[in-house]
Amino acid sequence: HEITEGLPEGNDVPPPKNEVWEAKAKDSHVNSGVTAIDYTKLMETSMVKKGSTKKAGVDKEGDQMATFNFTMPGALPSQTDDYLCTSVLIADGVDKKLYIEKFTALSKGNRAHHMILSKCKQPIKTAEDSIYDCRHHAMCRDQSKIMFAWAKHAEPTQLPHDVGFNIEKDDYLVLQVHYAEPLTEPDYSGLRDR
């Protein structure tokens, strides 16, 4: 199956060549108006867009891959040492085996103290964009399995080649975020899973 499966016919046809655009793309002296890229601002903009997002493609080896930004849907911790969770059924409707092989934190400033990503079959809440108190690791009604833990300033983690966490069709991912201090603005910290 190709990555375009389920898309309308003709969706993967490239646009016709445009000689003017081609010439501009090859001319390094064209003034686009962009003099620098502010990655901090891009990250902030991404965090404000709210909620989790999915993106798919094909990696260097030709394998199908997907990136899933799993973030808190606007958490507002109200007390010191607040532990909040959200969950998502990621493989729903997917007929292929899914594996997570890379984890990257999506956190701004000193908001999230640490995060834990687990999987289970029965999280405390399953409604999309729900947030619940998961102090004392009350993340799931059944046994949860920790897949990844992140603490402030940790680098992305890439698992070794041919190693990954299997995600079954009925597995929920559960994101627990520990907030050391209350916040006055909604938080969208989370993890980019690939």
Side-chain angles (χ1 to χ4, degrees), residues 47 72-77 108 111-112 177 179 183 185-189:
M47 299 298 283
M72 292 302 288
L76 270 170
K108 184 173 90 171
R111 292 175 167 254
V177 180
Y179 296 96
L183 297 176
E185 296 177 4
D187 181 57
Y188 302 97
S189 293

Side-chain angles (χ1 to χ4, degrees), residues 10-123:
N11 192 52
D12 59 348
V13 177
K17 284 194 174 194
N18 182 314
E19 298 301 327
V20 174
W21 293 352
E22 294 286 329
K24 284 184 179 180
K26 293 176 184 173
D27 182 2
S28 62
H29 300 293
V30 171
N31 183 1
S32 67
V34 177
T35 57
I37 298 174
D38 184 345
Y39 289 100
T40 303
K41 184 170 171 81
L42 285 174
M43 180 67 173
E44 288 173 3
T45 302
S46 173
M47 299 298 283
V48 170
K49 286 188 178 173
K50 304 176 185 173
S52 302
T53 60
K54 296 179 185 176
K55 181 179 177 184
V58 178
D59 70 10
K60 290 184 273 191
E61 287 93 35
D63 294 328
Q64 292 181 2
M65 51 77 59
T67 299
F68 181 63
N69 290 347
F70 184 26
T71 61
M72 292 302 288
L76 270 170
S78 59
Q79 59 191 355
T80 301
D81 286 325
D82 224 350
Y83 287 80
L84 299 178
C85 285
T86 189
S87 66
V88 65
L89 184 62
I90 193 171
D92 188 32
V94 176
D95 63 348
K96 298 184 185 303
K97 288 191 174 199
L98 291 180
Y99 297 91
I100 298 177
E101 61 182 24
K102 185 174 182 180
F103 305 90
T104 305
L106 301 171
S107 184
K108 184 173 90 171
N110 290 322
R111 292 175 167 254
H113 182 266
H114 71 265
M115 296 183 273
I116 296 175
L117 181 68
S118 299
K119 71 175 185 172
C120 66
K121 307 287 185 194
Q122 301 171 359

